[in-house]
Amino acid sequence: MVKLSPGLLQQLLLSTPAVLAAITVDIDNQDSVKAAAAQVADDLMSSFYHGDEPGAVVGILPGPPTSNDPEGYYWWTGGELWASLLELRSHTGENKYDSVISEGLQFQTGENADFLPANWTATAGNDDQGFWAHAAIIAKESGFADAGSDKPQWLTLAQNVFDEQAARLLSGEGNCSGVLRWQLFAFNNGYNYVNTLSNALFFNLGARLAHVTNNQTFADTASKTYDALSSLGLVTDDYEVYDGIDQIKCEDPNKFQFSSNAGTLLEGAAYMYNKTGDDTWKTRLDGLVDRTIELFFPGGVATEVSCEKNGNCNKDMYFYKGILHRSLSTTMRVAPYTAAKILPVLKSSAKAAASTCTGGDNGRMCGYQWADGKFQDDSNAGTQLSVLNALVSVLQTTNVQSSTTGTGGASGTGSSTSSSPTGSGTAGSMGSNVGVSVLSLIGGLLASSLII
Ligand SMILES: *[C@@H]1O[C@H](CO)[C@@H](O)[C@H](O)[C@H]1NC(C)=O
Ligand SMILES: *[C@@H]1O[C@H](CO)[C@@H](O)[C@H](O)[C@H]1NC(C)=O
Ligand SMILES: *[C@@H]1O[C@H](CO)[C@@H](O)[C@H](O)[C@H]1NC(C)=O
Ligand SMILES: *[C@@H]1O[C@H](CO)[C@@H](O)[C@H](O)[C@H]1NC(C)=O
């Protein structure tokens, strides 16, 4: 059943019970937005998440893509899924996903409690690991109950990732220093690429750890990371945020712009401003917010400008507008003065986003080209998740109680490492997916004619 504003819902219930209807939403009415977000989340989980079914891997969207299954999702999108549901939770009070979130995150923590589980380590980039850490810090910030005492805490997980990545910052290999490579291993494509996203996620994580723990080390490292990105020209004085740079030559940034890079960076800047109150951070935050709105919200509707109009977005990129919306929403929370600029844009964009939710068998799956205001492409987990984030981004936060103290930790079902019976894919087959990561695009993207 479709969730509409309470009044409309009642009317519908009184008339035709079996009607298929699109998501409709009154963007200025919090209850209406909450109802729509709840429906979009339900459709997301029931259509795309199978980790709670026999034989499937817990914690991830089915994937990765292989030649046999090109529709698969990359591993990082699991972290993004949980981050989004945690945000839904803290904006609507929805706690029915608590155990699936907790179990999903815990299942992918790996033996060293650092979100590098054995299955995925060989193909992981710093950004992939960063997205999972991002979910963990959101869990910590929003007071999501830690799993059982035998499981790593959300804060520990986030800190472990930060410490590992801090130890990976380049010094003296090639000309780039103070930044992270994209990939962890030399045998993966992208090892010699410094991508902004890995570094923006690291910066963002440091800023948030500083905020949560009050430990100055995190803030200092975050600050240096921003400076390094800036000195490499990956963030310019005009607040263009470029995609990355060759690690060895360390010149001529790749000038494609993606909303996930800009959003992640500006959200981190908001935390730094919150922590320090410094004018420097305010200037950066304002510059990033202004340029991000100008570039990625033409006509007030989020648009992935580097790929959307010419239909070149890859599987990963369908998730980016959700990241963009969430980062701006969090920015309003930690730097409230920015809301006057941000909220109107999030509203017009979320409204457009919801207007695409007329697809699929149920007549309400969400599409991608929000500015066109209609569903016209296949829905996938990325499109659905982006619309969810867009809706959640215009909601105020609420205090949520954890549904049960036993969430995650005490659950009798498939807890952690030993739930294995015969998954279909073997760990071995993963090795052939080289360079799977957020932007498998250095080759792909540069080859295609993307315009900015
Ligand atoms: C602050 O964080 C850093 C980095 O994780 C850690 O090495 C240091 O021990 C922490 N300091 C305190 C006082 O907890
Ligand atoms: C590093 O930069 C210097 C000065 O611009 C240049 O001469 C050198 O070739 C660069 N190193 C590499 C490995 O590209
Ligand atoms: C810092 O963030 C908190 C939310 O975490 C917010 O309540 C507070 O107003 C922010 N402080 C400033 C100076 O903006
Ligand atoms: C690793 O792969 C095996 C085989 O597919 C699967 O059973 C297990 O759940 C996976 N673990 C993680 C953490 O993805």
Side-chain angles (χ1 to χ4, degrees):
M1 192 61 221
V2 179
K3 299 282 172 65
L4 304 156
S5 66
L8 276 173
L9 179 60
Q10 210 169 14
Q11 275 176 24
L12 249 182
L13 286 172
L14 291 174
S15 50
T16 35
V19 83
L20 282 180
I23 300 279
T24 51
V25 65
D26 173 359
I27 212 71
D28 293 312
N29 175 329
Q30 296 269 307
D31 286 336
S32 168
V33 178
K34 280 182 192 175
Q39 184 66 64
V40 171
D42 276 354
D43 290 334
L44 166 72
M45 290 303 277
S46 62
S47 304
F48 301 110
Y49 183 68
H50 303 294
D52 45 4
E53 295 166 17
V57 177
V58 179
I60 58 166
L61 293 164
T66 59
S67 44
N68 289 336
D69 177 21
E71 295 305 306
Y73 295 94
Y74 287 111
W75 177 68
W76 72 273
T77 61
E80 176 55 21
L81 171 65
W82 308 127
S84 305
L85 288 181
L86 284 164
E87 286 292 324
L88 171 74
R89 183 181 190 280
S90 56
H91 288 80
T92 67
E94 177 64 85
N95 61 13
K96 75 176 173 186
Y97 302 112
D98 282 9
S99 56
V100 76
I101 297 170
S102 188
E103 285 165 16
L105 281 170
Q106 287 292 337
F107 197 82
Q108 295 294 333
T109 56
E111 289 175 2
N112 301 319
D114 59 355
F115 292 116
L116 285 181
N119 284 356
W120 303 100
T121 304
T123 52
N126 283 302
D127 48 5
D128 302 86
Q129 189 188 23
F131 272 111
W132 285 90
H134 196 73
I137 194 73
I138 290 173
K140 173 64 189 173
E141 287 174 353
S142 63
F144 187 54
D146 277 306
S149 54
D150 56 333
K151 304 277 171 58
Q153 299 189 337
W154 309 129
L155 180 59
T156 308
L157 287 161
Q159 261 180 293
N160 288 352
V161 171
F162 181 89
D163 288 345
E164 276 180 23
Q165 296 198 339
R168 287 184 203 130
L169 291 169
L170 289 167
S171 59
E173 315 154 59
N175 276 346
C176 287
S177 71
V179 284
L180 293 166
R181 296 172 184 275
W182 176 20
Q183 294 296 310
L184 303 190
F185 297 108
F187 51 76
N188 285 329
N189 289 329
Y191 183 69
N192 290 331
Y193 189 60
V194 170
N195 73 329
T196 298
L197 190 51
S198 290
N199 289 283
L201 284 161
F202 177 67
F203 161 69
N204 184 307
L205 183 62
R208 296 169 91 145
L209 282 167
H211 187 251
V212 165
T213 65
N214 228 11
N215 176 337
Q216 187 62 31
T217 309
F218 296 120
D220 292 344
T221 309
S223 191
K224 280 185 208 151
T225 304
Y226 188 97
D227 290 345
L229 288 173
S230 170
S231 73
L232 297 184
L234 292 172
V235 198
T236 70
D237 292 344
D238 298 326
Y239 301 100
E240 312 290 355
V241 181
Y242 296 138
D243 187 66
I245 196 165
D246 179 276
Q247 173 260 325
I248 297 166
K249 290 200 214 104
C250 215
E251 55 191 25
D252 299 332
N254 163 9
K255 291 189 174 168
F256 291 112
Q257 296 204 46
F258 292 96
S259 66
S260 49
N261 292 335
T264 304
L265 201 66
L266 75 82
E267 185 182 45
Y271 276 92
M272 290 305 287
Y273 176 61
N274 186 286
K275 168 124 187 77
T276 62
D278 285 354
D279 279 349
T280 310
W281 284 110
K282 183 171 187 300
T283 304
R284 289 168 175 172
L285 176 57
D286 289 344
L288 287 165
V289 167
D290 287 346
R291 181 62 185 139
T292 295
I293 290 175
E294 181 183 46
L295 180 60
F296 293 107
F297 291 87
V301 178
T303 305
E304 197 58 52
V305 291
S306 288
C307 62
E308 186 174 324
K309 289 294 171 212
N310 48 14
N312 266 335
C313 296
N314 70 19
K315 201 110 208 194
D316 282 338
M317 294 168 192
Y318 289 117
F319 290 82
Y320 289 177
K321 288 195 272 186
I323 296 168
L324 173 67
H325 263 266
R326 190 173 66 241
S327 63
L328 285 162
S329 173
T330 305
T331 295
M332 294 193 298
R333 192 176 74 232
V334 296
Y337 80 90
T338 60
K341 253 190 259 179
I342 293 175
L343 188 57
V345 182
L346 294 186
K347 279 188 174 176
S348 55
S349 181
K351 188 176 173 191
S355 72
T356 67
C357 301
T358 62
D361 289 344
N362 62 13
R364 54 166 196 256
M365 297 306 284
C366 304
Y368 189 58
Q369 300 190 43
W370 300 352
D372 294 345
K374 58 178 198 264
F375 182 87
Q376 52 186 350
D377 28 32
D378 290 344
S379 72
N380 58 52
T383 62
Q384 199 73 15
L385 203 64
S386 285
V387 174
L388 173 62
N389 278 290
L391 290 167
V392 167
S393 73
V394 305
L395 292 170
Q396 276 144 19
T397 46
T398 59
N399 284 324
V400 206
Q401 300 304 313
S402 283
S403 56
T404 64
T405 42
T407 293
S411 70
T413 55
S415 73
S416 210
T417 47
S418 62
S419 91
S420 54
T422 51
S424 46
T426 62
S429 71
M430 232 88 73
S432 56
N433 287 289
V434 175
V436 301
S437 200
V438 174
L439 306 178
S440 306
L441 44 71
I442 314 185
L445 196 69
L446 295 177
S448 53
S449 54
L450 301 184
I451 318 136
I452 193 88

